Structure formats: structure tokens, C-alpha cells
Amino acid sequence: MEEVAENFAPNIPNSEEVCYVCGAKIFRTAEFMGIKRTFKVMCKCMQKQQEEEKIRQENQERMRKIEKLKKLSLLGERYKNATFENSKTGTNSSFDRAFGRCRKYCELYEETIKNGYGIYLFGDKGVGKTHLTACMANELLSKCVPVLFTNLFEISKAVKSTFNRESNQTEQNLIERFANIEVLFFDDLGTEIFTNNSNDTWLQGLLFDLINKRYNCKKATIFSSNHSLNELINERGIAEKTVDRISEMASGAVIKIEGASLRNTPKTQIF
Ligand SMILES: Nc1ncnc2c1ncn2[C@@H]1O[C@H](COP(=O)(O)OP(=O)(O)OP(=O)(O)O)[C@@H](O)[C@H]1O
Ligand SMILES: [Mg+2]
Ligand SMILES: [Zn+2]
């Protein structure tokens, strides 16, 4: 039978060509139904290169996602550079204990996140809850974990914006996105008091839906609040079934920070 490989692959300059790294032949000739064909094959180093390229692209995609989450997150100027390293410790033992646990959570992030462990941090205003959870969010972002730092007000604003006819997202679509974020930081839960008016009923439903979805999928959620879990029900009007799920999501890590507000500590006078 006549060799037809050249006709089949006229652009192949030299089918004897070898990889200049490992020396393996990069063209192979095979006979199929009496016709010989030459085709390019991948040597080990080409395969490795292709795998590396795939990983590079995946990382790039991850970084893009993280940059987007950073932009979406509510970590404003005050908290966006907060880290465990630059935090002040040593003045409030209650804060220090919480600090130690939150830091440990991040150290063990592969396990804690995979298992959907959550934290419920509560205490009076100014004790450092947002600061501490911001340290966690920044630490996890530095490890390329997709996190979103937000609060119920922002979530509801975003979901309401889908009611607009021009919105290219549906309500469920967006809730799904919040529900699927690897780690969701819920700052200041319980700031709003839920009554029985229809707007609050909607918000109550939204909160339940979101919490329930994350609960079902065992997604890690970190809460901060001025209120204990019981107060969320009894004083803030949050549905018991929602708080019940939050309680289980953060089981073992319902942490109270006591002490004085850090907001009143005098700053260095420069004027
Ligand atoms: N460990 C810390 N090191 C340095 N600054 C801190 C630390 N903890 C808190 N702060 C600063 O103290 C102030 C109050 O902290 P933060 O905003 O975290 O309080 P909070 O508990 O979230 O209060 P609220 O309940 O009112 O939201 C902020 O300016 C914050 O940057
Ligand atoms: Mg706060
Ligand atoms: Zn090779």
C-alpha cells in the first residue's frame, strides 16, 4: 500500500521530528483500513505543558472571580486592610479569645470550609466584630478562597434590583448566587427589626431562603451581630426556624466578645 501520509498531512514538515526536550517522536503513523496516516502525538513534556496551562487558566479565572468578589464586598476603607497580623491584641481577653479562634478557623480553612463550619460572633457595638471578621475575609481572600463580605441590607437591595424590568437576572438566580458563594460573611445580622408588615415578611422570607439554602448545602457562613441568637428571635423578630439553622451552622462557635467599645479610644492627635 502506498504511503499517503504526506497527502493527508501536507503541512507536516517532517514526520520524523522529535521533541527537542525529551527526544520523543511527536508524529506517529498508523494504518487504518489499509491507509497510512500520520498524526501529531503529545510527548510527556507536551502533556505536562498542557496541564500547566490548564491550571494557569483555572487560577486566572479564580483570581478574576476573587477580584470581582472584592469589588462587591462591603469591606470599606476602614476594614479592607485589616489582617490578623496588624490587629491590636492584648488589651481585651474576650476579644483575644475570639481572635484566636477566628485565626485558627482560617489556618484550618481547607477543613473548616469543606465541612461548612460557621461562626456566630456577637457583642456590643465597637468591640471589634467587623474588624475581626474582616481579618478572616482578607486572610481567606489571600488564600484565593472566594468570599463575600456583606449584610442583609445589601443582599436585599441587590435582590430587589432584579425586580426592575431591565435587570438581566432573576430574583432566584441572584439568591442562588449568594447561596453558592464559598464563604459568606453576614455582618450586623439583626440590625433591622422584623415586624409583620409585608416588606418585612418579604425580607424574612429572603433571609430564610438564603440561610436555608446555605444550611442545606453545608456552606460556611460567618455572622456578626449585636444580639445573641435568642435575642434575634425575641427582640429582633427573626423567624425561629431561621435562627435555628444559624445556630446549627455555627454550632460550637457562638462566640461573645465582651468589653468596652474601641471606637472611643483616642487617636494620635496630628492636628
Ligand atoms: N484588634 C483591633 N485592632 C485594631 N483596630 C481594631 C481592632 N478591633 C477593632 N478595631 C477598630 O475599632 C473600631 C470598632 O471596631 P468594629 O467596627 O469592628 O466594631 P463592631 O464590633 O463591628 O461594632 P458594631 O457592632 O457597631 O458594628 C473600628 O475602627 C475598628 O477598625
Ligand atoms: Mg460592625
Ligand atoms: Zn517532550
Side-chain angles (χ1 to χ4, degrees):
M1 175 53 68
E2 196 191 342
E3 167 89 67
V4 296
E6 278 147 46
N7 294 340
F8 175 69
N11 294 332
I12 296 173
N14 174 10
S15 56
E16 290 301 309
E17 202 179 321
V18 294
C19 164
Y20 65 90
V21 182
C22 70
K25 275 189 135 187
I26 52 176
F27 291 103
R28 188 171 295 157
T29 305
E31 199 173 305
F32 182 65
M33 289 175 54
I35 302 171
K36 275 191 180 165
R37 292 190 162 173
T38 301
F39 51 91
K40 205 166 180 176
V41 289
M42 278 203 281
C43 63
K44 285 225 164 57
C45 24
M46 283 172 176
Q47 276 170 22
K48 193 168 158 238
Q49 208 174 27
Q50 199 184 45
E51 272 157 29
E52 280 168 2
E53 174 62 14
K54 197 173 151 223
I55 291 171
R56 201 186 61 79
Q57 276 178 12
E58 278 169 5
N59 280 343
Q60 213 173 35
E61 183 52 37
R62 215 175 160 78
M63 285 314 293
R64 254 201 299 275
K65 202 164 143 190
I66 281 164
E67 282 310 315
K68 214 165 127 189
L69 287 169
K70 265 190 188 166
K71 280 202 197 102
L72 275 176
S73 96
L74 281 186
L75 287 172
E77 206 49 46
R78 185 175 295 279
Y79 304 104
K80 76 172 193 229
N81 296 317
T83 64
F84 288 114
E85 285 73 33
N86 68 18
S87 292
K88 254 203 329 244
T89 53
T91 46
N92 173 359
S93 59
S94 173
F95 177 86
D96 290 353
R97 266 195 302 278
F99 181 90
R101 292 196 67 186
C102 292
R103 187 175 212 169
K104 189 93 190 169
Y105 180 100
C106 294
E107 270 167 32
L108 304 174
Y109 76 102
E110 280 171 332
E111 206 173 326
T112 48
I113 293 172
K114 189 179 76 203
N115 288 312
Y117 293 147
I119 295 177
Y120 186 84
L121 209 56
F122 72 107
D124 284 344
K125 51 189 183 311
V127 295
K129 301 177 299 294
T130 301
H131 175 89
L132 189 48
T133 47
C135 291
M136 292 181 74
N138 290 329
E139 175 74 15
L140 294 174
L141 280 170
S142 78
K143 292 177 149 77
C144 286
V145 179
V147 313
L148 181 65
F149 196 101
T150 188
N151 58 31
L152 185 58
F153 179 70
E154 289 299 319
I155 292 174
S156 72
K157 217 167 63 180
V159 173
K160 275 182 185 157
S161 77
T162 64
F163 299 166
N164 187 320
R165 250 191 233 205
E166 270 132 51
S167 165
N168 50 11
Q169 286 226 67
T170 66
E171 178 182 1
Q172 271 312 309
N173 225 307
L174 191 61
I175 295 174
E176 222 41 69
R177 281 179 55 195
F178 282 117
N180 287 331
I181 288 189
E182 199 137 321
V183 186
L184 186 68
F185 285 82
F186 233 111
D187 199 33
D188 258 336
L189 184 62
T191 299
E192 44 288 286
I193 296 183
F194 289 82
T195 64
N196 284 328
N197 76 37
S198 61
N199 185 46
D200 285 5
T201 307
W202 177 80
L203 197 60
Q204 184 86 259
L206 172 69
L207 181 62
F208 175 75
D209 196 15
L210 180 56
I211 296 295
N212 189 42
K213 283 193 163 82
R214 295 189 66 83
Y215 172 81
N216 285 340
C217 306
K218 282 184 107 177
K219 290 272 184 190
T221 314
I222 313 294
F223 301 91
S224 90
S225 176
N226 288 134
H227 307 278
S228 69
L229 289 167
N230 276 334
E231 284 168 2
L232 285 187
I233 303 169
N234 300 327
E235 294 173 19
R236 315 310 289 174
I238 297 184
E240 223 171 313
K241 58 181 184 168
T242 306
V243 179
D244 218 43
R245 282 164 179 72
I246 294 173
S247 165
E248 195 182 332
M249 287 158 102
S251 66
V254 177
I255 305 167
K256 182 172 188 186
I257 304 183
E258 278 163 307
S261 170
L262 292 162
R263 292 215 175 90
N264 303 323
T265 46
K267 306 279 179 290
T268 321
Q269 198 95 34
I270 57 160
F271 60 91

